[in-house]
Amino acid sequence: MGRSGVGAVALFTLSLLFVSYKMVDSAIGVNWGTLSFHKMRPSTVVDLLKANKITKVKLFDTNPDALRALMGTGTQVMVGIPNEMLSSFNSDLFVQQNLSRFIGKNGADIRYVAVGNEPFLTSYGGQFQNYVVPAMVNLQQSLVKANLANYVKLVVPCNADAYEANVPSQGTFRPELTQIMTQLVSFLNSNGSPFVVNIYPFLSLYGNSDFPQDYAFFEGSSHPVPDGPNTYYNAFDGNFDTLVAALTKLGYGQMPIVIGEIGWPTDGAVGANLTAARVFNQGLISHVLSNKGTPLRPGSPLADVY
């Protein structure tokens, strides 16, 4: 959702994904956004995480209050570097101040650093594009120096607009991103990192009056999408497999994929309400925990979903 999405993530993550469900080898995490009119104390957020057996959390920065509150909890953490910092930050200093001082015995269990947030978003006009890979290379070197490279992995959360297709099997990355995506995916593969993508079926519904509403959810659709031998009954599977196809065309069809953001808002737009949000999130959780996979990855459990 880019910069504008952090506040929305803060609001619907804490109010909607904290719902009752049985966790089975949990792959479900939450985003912890801090742009909100009603900020919760970090200790309160951590208590909510514990109470709902949420063991993974994704931050959009390296908020020290949040990291201190997470110390000793065993919660796996993804921290983030804002896009605006990519061109100028000192990677050694970043690792020292934001990772090394929090990691350790009874420390914060930081597993990932998100290098930017949707830096290839079309609306950014390429302004962050050339900084991403150099920032990752410098950070990786700093992680090696700090003896953290085997523990902390670098990722780049991408918006789903980074790839395109009429049907999932034809998925490709946007032409202007082919070169940088080839470099990025090669880097991720070499360092054991997943591809992180943010998928919002709500935005597809909100932005297109012809988009079938039931296709945005997980209860089947009266407007399925045929694609060769496969048929898609929900937007999530179609979007996910479009990315799988795009990665396959680069030679990385088996790369793990993490869903960095997904959810449904409760207010602020047509179709944004508590009932729809609950149906979507419960449907998503059931879909993820079923381990059914998608048509292009059948029977393959999804990686983490935030």
Side-chain angles (χ1 to χ4, degrees), residues 11-55:
L11 293 175
F12 72 61
T13 294
L14 294 177
S15 63
L16 295 176
L17 281 184
F18 289 140
V19 290
S20 297
Y21 53 88
K22 185 178 181 180
M23 301 299 290
V24 181
D25 191 23
S26 171
I28 305 291
V30 296
N31 286 275
W32 180 353
T34 54
L35 296 182
S36 173
F37 289 115
H38 304 287
K39 287 187 180 181
M40 295 183 184
R41 288 180 299 179
S43 59
T44 301
V45 176
V46 171
D47 287 343
L48 281 169
L49 293 171
K50 290 178 181 176
N52 288 274
K53 298 180 175 59
I54 303 293
T55 59

Side-chain angles (χ1 to χ4, degrees), residues 44 87 117 238:
T44 301
S87 63
N117 185 43

Side-chain angles (χ1 to χ4, degrees), residues 54-288:
I54 303 293
T55 59
K56 301 173 187 288
V57 66
K58 175 168 163 278
L59 308 178
F60 290 85
D61 50 25
T62 53
N63 185 299
D65 293 331
L67 289 174
R68 276 191 285 269
L70 288 162
M71 292 177 71
T73 64
T75 304
Q76 295 182 13
V77 184
M78 182 187 299
V79 298
I81 302 173
N83 295 328
E84 293 78 8
M85 286 180 55
L86 296 181
S87 63
S88 59
F89 79 105
N90 181 306
S91 59
D92 286 340
L93 194 60
F94 176 88
V95 169
Q96 177 186 336
Q97 292 183 343
N98 300 293
L99 302 181
S100 296
R101 78 181 177 118
F102 290 106
I103 294 175
K105 186 177 180 181
N106 296 319
D109 190 5
I110 301 173
R111 298 294 185 96
Y112 295 105
V113 176
V115 182
N117 185 43
E118 302 184 342
F120 311 121
L121 197 65
T122 306
S123 60
Y124 289 150
Q127 62 177 306
F128 305 116
Q129 192 167 310
N130 294 329
Y131 301 124
V132 175
V133 172
M136 295 188 80
V137 171
N138 291 336
L139 265 173
Q140 186 66 27
Q141 293 172 348
S142 297
L143 288 173
V144 171
K145 282 191 256 183
N147 293 317
L148 292 174
N150 291 327
Y151 189 73
V152 179
K153 300 300 180 181
L154 304 178
V155 296
V156 179
C158 292
N159 188 278
D161 81 343
Y163 46 90
E164 55 195 12
N166 291 322
V167 292
S169 64
Q170 296 176 4
T172 58
F173 289 106
R174 297 197 324 256
E176 71 272 23
L177 294 180
T178 301
Q179 182 177 353
I180 193 168
M181 280 299 177
T182 301
Q183 295 173 335
L184 171 60
V185 173
S186 175
F187 179 95
L188 296 174
N189 185 66
S190 297
N191 292 285
S193 297
F195 192 100
V196 178
V197 63
N198 301 336
I199 296 177
Y200 281 100
F202 170 80
L203 294 180
S204 299
L205 177 65
Y206 180 70
N208 183 356
S209 59
D210 295 326
F211 193 89
Q213 182 166 336
D214 60 1
Y215 191 66
F217 294 88
F218 295 91
E219 299 176 325
S221 174
S222 58
H223 299 80
V225 175
D227 182 9
N230 298 317
T231 302
Y232 290 85
Y233 294 93
N234 66 77
F236 175 82
D237 284 356
N239 200 314
F240 186 94
D241 275 1
T242 303
L243 173 57
V244 172
L247 289 170
T248 300
K249 289 178 176 64
L250 295 184
Y252 297 94
Q254 299 305 312
M255 172 166 281
I257 297 173
V258 165
I259 308 302
E261 293 181 35
I262 187 169
W264 198 278
T266 57
D267 202 355
V270 175
N273 59 74
L274 184 60
T275 299
R278 182 176 288 115
V279 170
F280 179 85
N281 284 331
Q282 291 285 20
L284 169 69
I285 290 165
S286 298
H287 189 59
V288 169

